[in-house]
Structures are given as structure tokens and as C-alpha cells.
Amino acid sequence: MLENLKPQPADKILALGQAYRADPRADKIDLGIGVYKDASGKTPVMRAVKEAERRLVAEQDSKAYTGLLGDPAYTDALRDMILGDAVPGDRVSCAATPGGTGAIRQALELIKMASPGATVWLSAPTWPNHPSIIKYLGMSMAEYRYFDAATRGVDFAGMMADLDQIKSGDVVLLHGCCHNPTGANLTLEQWQAVSDHLNAKGAVPFIDIAYQGFGDGLEADAAGTRLMAANAPQMLIAASCSKNFGIYRERTGMVMAIAPEAGMKTVTQGTLAYLNRQNYSFPPDHGARVVTMILTDPELKADWMAELEAVRLGMLELRKQLADELRKRSNSDRFDFIADHRGMFSRLGATPEQVEKMRVDNGIYMIGDSRINIAGLNAKTIPVLAQAIIDAGV
Ligand SMILES: Cc1ncc(COP(=O)(O)O)c(C=O)c1O
């Protein structure tokens, strides 16, 4: 049996991390994998998470199974954090999942069950795991234009022209905020236009929100998702707590399915429970419980929000510093887009050859499509990166 297996393609982002670790240069710079790092290069455990874990260890008196959908206190709290009061809770089915990736996988499986012929539309580019899972599930997919290589902003005219091709019942995957890998995001007016267009076409929005709180703030980052949820008869959402709670390895996420009416919730929620049962039975609980404790305890929540806000402002400051540095060194404003982008990533628009040159000459590691992790920078490395970008001829 095992002799029939073929090597699978290596994950490019993880392979880049290996290459970085193998590089002996002391001044190498890692701008690869999408993990937040503070100025000292560490990915810290957030204060509120530490405190919640301390309480959990002291107070938890059972590790018996939770529900198949996870603890309702968790799914309610996270639902409210993401959706606010955009849509009545009785239309929203929720299931806890292993991370945002688990949520994406469950949402896609639900789409496959409910609408096997649907095409899932992805932004070009998108997070590579999106097409990879869709391909693995044997579903049909298509791309819509998203990134404008000239302005490094959103090619909104191209996006809308491509979304004109969607058919009733198709699914359109959108990044809720902090688009990965580009950093370029829709304005609220554009969200509205996309939402109206999908409704007119009878298409279903599917929002992947993995960086709420990393862009313009916890509420502002959910605004597009909420607008669409208030407007769409049906919608799917995959959420991750990996980044905004800094609990990457705890695998904490949630899938939500918004039905047109409350009467459909029993079957929709039952289907999510069924899918959890088939794939891994009960979802992980530790991270979910920590998130619940933080979101439902005013003191812990305030501390978490303050730390998240400091993380967000720190990344904005790094963006500004890099854009300023490039403005000076290039004698132009052509890199100002870095300060306009939001979230952990920016796509520089460098060619693969230029990316390779920066790796060879300067020990700077970024994804081959020139995505940089802004959080990988600090005051010392910003001038080095800026000069390398100029020297590479970007
Ligand atoms: C766009 C996007 N969606 C979802 C995820 C899921 O993250 P996780 O499965 O670690 O929660 C990520 C993580 O990098 C991401 O970038």
C-alpha cells in the first residue's frame, strides 16, 4: 500500500523557514511565515492568555468531552466578536474547529454537500491553502482579479468584471480583512458593491477572517464581514483565533453558516456537527476555553484588547518607517503603498529574481511572490531591507 504513495509538493512557506534556519549568516532577516513577532523577534504568549491559562489550570475539574460543536459559550462569544449585531443569532450556526484552517475545510465540505456543482471563486492571489484544500476535495474553482501589480492596491474594476461571470449558487471567497498575501483591502464602499453584486447574482459569500484586530482595529476589521452578513441571505465564515489571540498551536477556530431564516438552523447546525464528527469528532477545547474566558471577563478582555491594539499599532509604525525609508532611498513615493496596506503582510511587487537576489545578497527571506511579514522587521532591519529593495531594482 504505502509503496503507491507519491511525494507531495512541499509547502513553500514552511520550506522557506527551513532554508532560513540553515543559513549561517548572523544578520539574516526572516520575513517569511505569517507569525507575529515582537521587536526582539519573539512570538509572545499574550498577557490575558497567560492569566486565563493560569485560572484554567487552577479551576478546571474535568477534561470530559465538550459538545460536537464545541462549547456554546465559546461559539456565542466569538460569533458576537465577529458579527456584532449584524444578523440575529438564531440564523447563525456555529461549530468550533481546529484553527481557521479547520473552519475553511468544514465550510468547503458543507458547500460540497449542499451544492456539489458550485464553483468556489478565489482572489488572485490568495492564501495558497485555499486552492490546495479545494483541489484536494475535488471541487471546482475559479479566480477573480484582485491585486493591481502597478498600484499594489486592489484592482477593483478587474475584480468586478471577473465576478460578473459568477453563476447563481457559486461561492465567492473573500478575506475579511488584512488580505493575505497582498495587504491590499477593499474599502467599505467596495464591500457594499461586492455584496450587492453577489446578491444580485444569487452567489454565496464565504469570508475567511484570520486577522481581526491586526488592521484598523477589532471593530473596523469586522466591518466588511458585518456589512455582508447584514445584506446576504446566506453566507459562510471561517474564523481563526491563531493570530489575534496569539494561540497558533492551540488550533482555535470556528465555522459559521448564516441561513436565510431561523427555521433552517437545526439542519444547518446538525450538518456542521455531523461534519465535525466525521473529520475529528470533538474540536480542540483548550484554546477555545481560553478565548471564552477572555471574551467574557471584562478585565481580561480589556487587557487583551490593549495588547492587541499595541501589536496593531506597532505593525503600523513599522509600515510607516519602511515606507519613509524607501521614500528617502528611492527619491519617490512609489513605495507608499506599504503604509496603506493593512495587516501582517505586504506584497512588494518584486520579481522572483529580485526576491532571490535579496536572499542571496542580503540574507533576506520573503515568500517567492514578494510577500513580506511586516512583523518580522525592526528599527535595525528596516534600513537594510529598504536598501536591498532599491539594490534589487524593485
Ligand atoms: C488567510 C488565512 N486564513 C486562515 C488561516 C488559518 O490559520 P490557522 O489555521 O492557523 O488558524 C491563515 C493562517 O495563516 C491565513 O493566513
Side-chain angles (χ1 to χ4, degrees):
M1 175 187 80
L2 298 179
E3 63 278 8
N4 297 327
L5 295 177
K6 295 184 181 63
Q8 295 299 325
D11 184 296
K12 286 198 183 111
I13 299 178
L14 301 182
L16 187 75
Q18 273 167 8
Y20 172 79
R21 283 189 292 279
D23 189 330
R25 284 175 284 187
D27 57 354
K28 60 190 176 178
I29 302 171
D30 179 13
L31 305 178
I33 193 165
V35 170
Y36 172 75
K37 288 180 269 185
D38 63 18
S40 68
K42 290 211 183 74
T43 303
V45 181
M46 295 177 88
R47 295 185 302 264
V49 169
K50 265 273 179 238
E51 175 56 20
E53 286 185 318
R54 196 189 60 72
R55 291 185 199 173
L56 195 56
V57 167
E59 292 163 16
Q60 192 168 48
D61 55 8
S62 175
K63 294 233 183 238
Y65 292 122
T66 55
L68 267 184
L69 294 161
D71 184 347
Y74 165 68
T75 48
D76 283 0
L78 194 58
R79 179 200 64 201
D80 289 351
M81 182 183 110
I82 296 163
L83 288 175
D85 57 8
V87 59
D90 61 6
R91 281 179 52 207
V92 189
S93 299
C94 303
T97 56
T101 309
I104 292 164
R105 172 68 186 263
Q106 298 300 69
L108 289 167
E109 294 226 24
L110 182 124
I111 294 163
K112 200 177 165 189
M113 275 175 91
S115 185
T119 295
V120 182
W121 289 75
L122 305 174
S123 65
T126 190
W127 186 45
N129 237 7
H130 291 152
S132 165
I133 299 173
I134 294 171
K135 187 169 163 224
Y136 175 72
L137 290 173
M139 298 169 74
S140 124
M141 63 182 151
E143 281 189 335
Y144 59 85
R145 271 171 284 173
Y146 185 80
F147 188 65
D148 184 333
T151 64
R152 272 85 154 177
V154 176
D155 174 6
F156 192 64
M159 175 175 177
M160 292 304 272
D162 289 346
L163 290 182
D164 220 27
Q165 317 293 316
I166 54 177
K167 300 200 171 49
S168 174
D170 280 356
V171 174
V172 177
L173 179 46
L174 299 142
H175 296 225
C177 61
C178 308
H179 186 269
N180 179 6
T182 68
N185 297 291
L186 298 176
T187 63
L188 266 190
E189 291 72 37
Q190 290 170 336
W191 274 103
Q192 184 70 56
V194 174
S195 175
D196 292 342
H197 182 72
L198 299 195
N199 287 351
K201 287 280 189 178
V204 180
F206 171 17
I207 296 187
D208 177 3
I209 181 156
Y211 297 89
Q212 189 182 348
F214 270 38
D216 290 311
L218 205 54
E219 295 295 308
D221 288 348
T225 304
R226 290 177 187 177
L227 180 155
M228 210 163 241
N231 212 16
Q234 310 198 15
M235 173 160 144
L236 296 165
I237 300 172
S240 168
C241 298
S242 300
K243 327 275 161 159
N244 47 11
F245 287 86
I247 49 173
Y248 305 82
R249 65 176 67 165
E250 300 301 349
R251 313 308 301 134
T252 310
M254 179 170 79
V255 60
M256 287 190 268
I258 305 177
E261 57 192 67
M264 285 168 68
K265 185 165 170 175
T266 313
V267 172
T268 311
Q269 193 145 287
T271 305
L272 291 178
Y274 170 81
L275 285 171
N276 267 6
R277 186 69 168 156
Q278 305 321 304
N279 283 329
Y280 38 76
S281 203
F282 296 89
D285 180 70
H286 179 79
R289 203 153 290 271
V290 165
V291 166
T292 313
M293 289 170 79
I294 293 172
L295 291 179
T296 56
D297 179 308
E299 227 174 280
L300 284 182
K301 186 174 180 188
D303 189 43
W304 167 69
M305 284 174 68
E307 190 169 358
L308 178 60
E309 187 63 1
V311 162
R312 181 180 84 80
L313 294 175
M315 286 191 291
L316 275 186
E317 181 56 30
L318 291 169
R319 288 188 174 283
K320 196 178 152 306
Q321 285 174 17
L322 180 58
D324 287 351
E325 199 67 45
L326 280 161
R327 195 177 252 257
K328 266 193 282 173
R329 289 173 197 253
S330 70
N331 246 327
S332 80
D333 58 6
R334 66 198 164 92
F335 293 102
D336 282 8
F337 65 86
I338 293 172
D340 297 335
H341 284 169
R342 284 295 179 272
M344 206 146 62
F345 307 116
S346 270
R347 180 184 262 204
L348 294 177
T351 63
E353 293 73 28
Q354 290 167 332
V355 170
E356 179 63 5
K357 182 171 163 52
M358 287 187 263
R359 189 185 67 76
V360 172
D361 294 357
N362 310 95
I364 296 172
Y365 286 75
M366 65 183 75
I367 311 296
D369 66 358
S370 76
R371 182 193 87 171
I372 58 168
N373 179 359
I374 293 290
L377 290 167
N378 58 43
K380 223 173 84 194
T381 54
I382 282 175
V384 180
L385 173 63
Q387 193 55 46
I389 289 172
I390 303 294
D391 292 346
V394 180

